[in-house]
Amino acid sequence: MRRIAVLDAPSNLGLRPPTETSVPGCAKAPGALRDKGLLTRLDARDAGCLTPPRYDPGDWRPGDGVAHAAQIHSYSVRLAERIGAIVDGGEFPLVLGGDCSILLGSALAMRRLGEEVGGRIGLVFVDGHSDFRHPGNAPYVGAAAGEDLALVTGRGQTELAGIEGRRPYFRDTDVVVLGIREHDEYRLDLQAAGFAVRPATAVRAEGARRTAQWARERLADCAGYWVHVDVDVLDPAVMPAVDAPEAGGIALTELELLLAGLVNTTDCLGMEITVFDPDHDPDGRYATELVAALTTGLTPLLPPKRAAKPRVPAPRKATPTPRAVA
């Protein structure tokens, strides 16, 4: 059984600043989840933290390409190295983001691995949004966290979409998209390109457990797959602590069943969690609930608990037999 190795990737380079004088809060997510006992509950190895470059969009303007592109490029290469080392060590990497731009590092690691094993690696993209904005369908790009699926499938500037000349990291037909909203702006683009798509309404109608099996069947020809989870796949009624909450998401129990079905095979090579924002969770309530959901969802990876030894009652003293009265 593979042990889980938790690696922090607290990058928020892929997001626009909430205000002119602030930075996105999702970089705080790994610390918030650790504080709620995630590593202990998963019996995980602490694989450390990969510190990202400084967040500074500077004088970026629409039309300048993806903001922080050089920093995201260098961070993705470093993240790929760390993920690759965990996989090579026979462990299951659980990467705690950060925003969705960390997918580029994971994707690069999977592309390298696919070349090593002589097979294709697939992607299960669990997200409330398609993140498929690219120069071919939008007037301009700018925030990699809203373009990560496009970038990892080879769309966009080479600095990010073609690191090390490995464009694309995932083929369109090797990607399964789960949990986007019915009215997603780029849903028709995904279908036209050959992505397998099941929006949140379909996940709920078909059931999370069956959806996980459906996703695995779609990737049966791959040598393995990576799982990307953006917490905004959840409905904001249960998880409002995200940067772009949108109604119509799935429930926590559905996420648990979905994850359990996806990780319950050695074909699942690793997973990342993104976009949880502790700035929207001042009392830590939602961090607690997310840790509980992750623990339940990743149960197939956990070592079996040792059965408690039955308590042996102490021997009772023999009761003396009363003498017969003559």
Side-chain angles (χ1 to χ4, degrees):
M1 178 176 288
R2 294 172 295 169
R3 187 178 188 184
I4 297 171
V6 174
L7 171 63
D8 294 2
S11 173
N12 53 15
L13 296 170
L15 292 171
R16 296 189 179 96
T19 69
E20 291 185 2
T21 58
S22 65
V23 299
C26 63
K28 304 172 187 176
L33 298 178
R34 284 171 174 262
D35 281 349
K36 298 301 180 181
L38 179 63
L39 272 71
T40 300
R41 296 183 66 172
L42 294 178
D43 191 30
R45 180 177 74 84
D46 189 342
C49 173
L50 184 63
T51 304
R54 180 180 179 182
Y55 182 92
D56 182 7
D59 58 356
W60 178 91
R61 294 291 181 272
D64 292 344
V66 178
H68 293 116
Q71 295 92 330
I72 293 173
H73 173 107
S74 63
Y75 190 70
S76 298
V77 173
R78 293 163 53 210
L79 182 56
E81 293 288 346
R82 296 285 289 270
I83 292 172
I86 293 171
V87 173
D88 289 346
E91 295 177 308
F92 182 96
L94 175 62
V95 183
L96 305 181
D99 68 59
C100 290
S101 68
I102 69 166
L103 176 57
L104 274 73
S106 309
L108 179 59
M110 294 300 103
R111 183 72 164 87
R112 291 173 176 175
L113 179 61
E115 292 178 1
E116 291 176 9
V117 302
R120 308 186 320 274
I121 305 299
L123 171 67
V124 180
F125 188 82
V126 183
D127 200 310
H129 307 90
S130 64
D131 295 353
F132 200 62
R133 181 175 61 241
H134 59 82
N137 63 14
Y140 67 87
V141 295
E147 297 145 16
D148 50 294
L149 184 56
L151 289 166
V152 300
T153 53
R155 298 165 173 87
Q157 60 200 70
T158 302
E159 186 176 12
L160 298 176
I163 300 173
E164 300 176 352
R166 301 179 192 269
R167 184 182 202 149
Y169 312 125
F170 301 110
R171 299 195 326 176
D172 295 352
T173 52
D174 293 336
V175 177
V176 177
V177 178
L178 304 175
I180 64 172
R181 307 308 191 248
E182 285 283 356
H183 55 274
D184 188 274
E185 185 176 3
Y186 304 113
R187 184 183 174 196
L188 295 180
D189 290 358
L190 295 177
Q191 293 176 334
F195 291 81
V197 180
R198 184 168 281 188
T201 51
V203 173
R204 307 200 80 169
E206 298 294 332
R209 198 187 310 274
R210 290 182 180 178
T211 295
Q213 183 60 38
W214 175 81
R216 289 168 57 171
E217 291 170 357
R218 293 299 176 278
L219 302 177
D221 292 335
C222 293
Y225 57 83
W226 181 264
V227 177
H228 163 88
V229 179
D230 183 330
V231 177
D232 69 20
V233 72
L234 292 164
D235 194 90
V238 298
M239 181 52 66
V242 297
D243 291 320
E246 190 168 352
I250 64 175
L252 282 164
T253 53
E254 290 168 321
L255 178 62
E256 293 167 0
L257 290 170
L258 186 62
L259 294 182
L262 291 172
V263 305
N264 193 21
T265 170
T266 55
D267 290 339
C268 185
L269 301 170
M271 188 177 96
E272 65 198 14
I273 301 294
T274 64
V275 184
F276 175 67
D277 191 339
D279 283 351
H280 300 296
D281 185 27
D283 62 1
R285 168 189 170 186
Y286 298 110
T288 298
E289 293 183 357
L290 181 56
V291 165
L294 291 174
T295 303
T296 301
L298 296 177
T299 295
L301 294 169
L302 303 185
K305 295 182 179 179
R306 295 180 180 178
K309 294 182 179 180
R311 186 183 301 176
V312 179
R316 298 176 63 182
K317 293 182 179 180
T319 303
T321 304
R323 294 183 181 178
V325 177

